[in-house]
Amino acid sequence: MFFAGFEKSEIKTSGARIVTLKGGKGPPLLLLHGNPFSHLSWQKFAPRLAQEFTVVATDLRGYGDSEKVPGGDNHENYSFRAMGQDQFEVMEKLGFDRFYCAGHDRGARVLHRMCMDNPAKIARAAILDIIPQHHLYNNMTKAWGTFSWHWLFMIQPYDFPERLMSAEPDFFIEKKLAKTKQGLSFFDPAAITEYKRYFRNPATVHAMCEDYRACAGIDFDMDTKDFEAGRKNNVPLLLLWGATGGVGRNSKPSPGEIWQRYATDIRGAKALPCGHYLSEEAPEETYKELREFFAEGELE
């Protein structure tokens, strides 16, 4: 039903077992999902991208059906660096030394760290609906905290958030995803069923919390060192965000202006007519922007 014509496999990296789908032909394009999703978040247009690109869609470690590894003493096994290393190794094992990549939400944060750590491997990067966490944590507002409350909830020490989130997992995930007037209407019901299945697994909930804890700790520390040293993302970037989502409404200055402090080669910065979930709520617009951006690249 999902990803017709794609091959599904599990690739063992040095850190985790990663669920991987691969399909299509042309230059390699890696798709990285956000929280609390899996590769299914790209299902509305990944097959269309596969007409021009070799599309690879994975489940990040801890998410979907990928392995839920222990977090480590400092949550380091869920740092964006560790999660990005999985993706580099997946692409290497598939035979791709250099590739395009698009990431949404947590996947976009993984992608930003990948660009910082090994820019030679990322030919072009599309960052969907985030601002850098370094800016975010240093510029919190009441509006942001009210809308994005889960950021500060999920970083609380184990196992306080895990117990509350798993007490009524279906209720929690529906409440989190239905923040706008559209509710869950733009999600594929079959995909929602899968997202609920993942979330009913306490190990998945714990991994998600470890991801957010790492973001507020080890990831923030890495970003602070980069920022203070003047290190920026120099990979060609496309920035997309939802005009009515938290990033679009609560970022001052605009997301594009914020990113200028963290990146040197922004090729495009655009708000789409949707909220946070671009690929679900505005699939046609998101597909068009991604297809045009990556088609202009130099990979054969």
Side-chain angles (χ1 to χ4, degrees):
M1 178 173 57
F2 297 119
F3 288 82
F6 280 64
E7 295 181 1
K8 186 175 184 179
S9 63
E10 295 185 356
I11 295 179
K12 181 66 178 177
T13 72
S14 58
R17 174 186 48 77
I18 302 298
V19 169
T20 304
L21 283 87
K22 174 178 173 285
K25 58 183 179 180
L29 170 57
L30 174 63
L31 303 178
L32 302 178
H33 66 85
N35 174 282
F37 303 128
S38 70
H39 66 276
L40 290 178
S41 67
W42 305 102
Q43 53 96 9
K44 288 188 177 181
F45 55 75
R48 293 173 65 188
L49 287 173
Q51 295 173 11
E52 299 179 72
F53 304 93
T54 301
V55 174
V56 178
T58 61
D59 292 355
L60 297 173
R61 68 163 61 183
Y63 286 83
D65 287 319
S66 285
E67 187 176 0
K68 283 72 177 161
V69 300
D73 293 339
N74 198 30
H75 320 294
E76 65 273 9
N77 291 332
Y78 286 93
S79 69
F80 296 132
R81 172 168 288 164
M83 297 168 86
Q85 183 60 32
D86 287 333
Q87 305 306 315
F88 282 130
E89 292 183 30
V90 164
M91 295 303 280
E92 182 179 359
K93 291 187 177 184
L94 291 176
F96 304 123
D97 293 327
R98 196 161 181 258
F99 50 91
Y100 301 131
C101 190
H104 171 252
D105 187 79
R106 310 309 284 184
R109 300 186 187 283
V110 172
L111 175 54
H112 176 54
R113 176 45 59 186
M114 292 170 71
C115 292
M116 297 293 290
D117 285 352
N118 203 339
K121 288 189 174 293
I122 312 293
R124 286 189 167 210
I127 302 287
L128 275 59
D129 210 65
I130 68 164
I131 56 174
Q133 60 264 7
H134 175 268
H135 175 88
L136 191 155
Y137 276 121
N138 282 301
N139 295 274
M140 290 185 178
T141 64
K142 177 182 176 182
W144 177 85
T146 301
F147 191 79
S148 300
W149 51 268
H150 63 283
W151 275 68
L152 300 182
F153 170 63
M154 291 174 68
I155 67 175
Q156 298 306 309
Y158 175 83
D159 60 350
F160 173 57
E162 284 93 336
R163 282 180 177 266
L164 296 185
M165 293 164 73
S166 291
E168 290 193 52
D170 286 6
F171 171 83
F172 185 92
I173 198 168
E174 287 188 6
K175 198 71 174 176
K176 183 179 183 298
L177 297 181
K179 288 184 176 181
T180 64
K181 292 181 179 179
Q182 295 98 321
L184 300 174
S185 62
F186 48 81
F187 288 103
D188 186 312
I192 286 287
T193 297
E194 282 293 275
Y195 300 150
K196 288 180 177 179
R197 178 178 68 82
Y198 307 142
F199 203 71
R200 290 176 191 140
N201 181 354
T204 302
V205 174
H206 176 57
M208 290 179 182
C209 290
E210 288 292 274
D211 170 8
Y212 278 77
R213 289 170 181 135
C215 181
I218 187 172
D219 290 317
F220 179 74
D221 293 342
M222 289 184 207
D223 295 340
T224 299
K225 289 179 180 178
D226 286 338
F227 189 80
E228 291 177 350
R231 292 188 66 239
K232 294 185 178 183
N233 186 333
N234 60 21
V235 172
L237 295 184
L238 171 65
L239 306 175
L240 300 174
W241 63 91
T244 59
V247 171
R249 292 188 294 107
N250 296 325
S251 297
K252 300 292 185 293
S254 73
E257 291 173 301
I258 292 170
W259 270 101
Q260 289 176 12
R261 304 170 186 173
Y262 297 88
T264 63
D265 192 2
I266 298 173
R267 303 293 177 92
K270 186 174 184 179
L272 299 185
C274 61
H276 176 55
Y277 305 110
L278 278 68
S279 59
E280 288 90 357
E281 189 175 352
E284 289 299 318
E285 294 88 345
T286 306
Y287 163 77
K288 177 177 178 292
E289 295 294 334
L290 294 181
R291 186 263 167 199
E292 291 182 358
F293 176 63
F294 292 123
E296 292 173 353
E298 75 282 7
L299 289 181
E300 296 295 335

